[in-house]
Amino acid sequence: IVLDPYDVYRLTTGLNCKFEELLIDKLDLNVVEGIILPNLKMNGPQESCAFLNEQGRCSIHALRPGICRIFPLGRIYEDGTFQYFLQVHECKKKDRTKVKIKNWIDTPNVSKNEAFINCWHYFLKDLSGKMPTLSEETVKQINMYILNAFFLTMYQGNRDFYEQFEERMEAAKEALKEIL
């Protein structure tokens, strides 16, 4: 489960810890389409989430990542936006009632969140499309920049996440313009 900056914001502010602390036993870094991104660490032969408790329940339910929040919904990205779809065979729960997506997602300010998701997705997609044409050194530079700007540099818990993200995104686009 790949994490985005908002997921990391929720975890670091909610657990009152640094991103580096989560990398010890809760998160991993993996390459996704040429870009190094954090993901939930999976443990044991069952590949269970590191945040599951002894009873197999989520120990961070209120802070869970966006992809966990929308399950069993998925997203289809097309034409610069996205839509949700229901993965009908993924959820074992029967007799699900109709729930509005905004209630299902359980995220404050859904419109800002969706704008963020869209921005992040298409930023990474554009960047990953350029990665194969770049030198190994440039790819390393870009990856280090993304990790530092969006994950390692702590977000301020007393400030709106989306404002902080937008500031970082503008700075990233400017910085990457020089590298690319």
Side-chain angles (χ1 to χ4, degrees), residues 7-44:
D7 296 330
V8 170
Y9 168 81
R10 274 188 178 140
L11 289 171
T12 55
T13 57
L15 297 173
N16 196 28
C17 67
K18 294 182 178 183
F19 178 71
E20 296 93 310
E21 294 172 63
L22 293 172
L23 286 172
I24 295 169
D25 62 348
K26 301 296 185 200
L27 305 182
D28 279 327
L29 294 176
N30 285 301
V31 178
V32 179
E33 297 185 27
I35 301 171
I36 299 172
L37 295 171
N39 60 275
L40 293 179
K41 185 176 189 122
M42 299 297 166
N43 295 323

Side-chain angles (χ1 to χ4, degrees), residues 30-37 127-128 131-132 139-140 142-143 146:
N30 285 301
V31 178
V32 179
E33 297 185 27
I35 301 171
I36 299 172
L37 295 171
L127 207 49
S128 68
M131 293 299 222
V139 169
K140 284 181 189 176
I142 291 169
N143 275 306
I146 290 171

Side-chain angles (χ1 to χ4, degrees), residues 16-17 32 40 52 55 68 74 90 105 127 129 153 160 168 179:
N16 196 28
C17 67
V32 179
L40 293 179
L52 290 181
Q55 293 79 34
C68 298
E90 298 300 321
I105 296 171
L127 207 49
T153 302
D160 180 65
R168 293 174 190 214
I179 296 172

Side-chain angles (χ1 to χ4, degrees), residues 69-87:
R69 286 175 185 277
I70 68 170
F71 181 81
L73 297 177
R75 293 186 194 111
I76 297 175
Y77 293 87
E78 293 178 321
D79 303 322
T81 189
F82 70 90
Q83 291 182 329
Y84 293 102
F85 69 94
L86 179 62
Q87 301 177 76

Side-chain angles (χ1 to χ4, degrees), residues 3 16 47:
L3 303 177
N16 196 28
E47 294 276 315

Side-chain angles (χ1 to χ4, degrees), residues 5 17 25 35 37 39 45 93 108 112 118 136 138 152:
C17 67
D25 62 348
I35 301 171
L37 295 171
N39 60 275
K93 185 175 180 178
K112 276 188 173 183
N118 208 50
E136 188 176 322
T138 302
L152 288 164

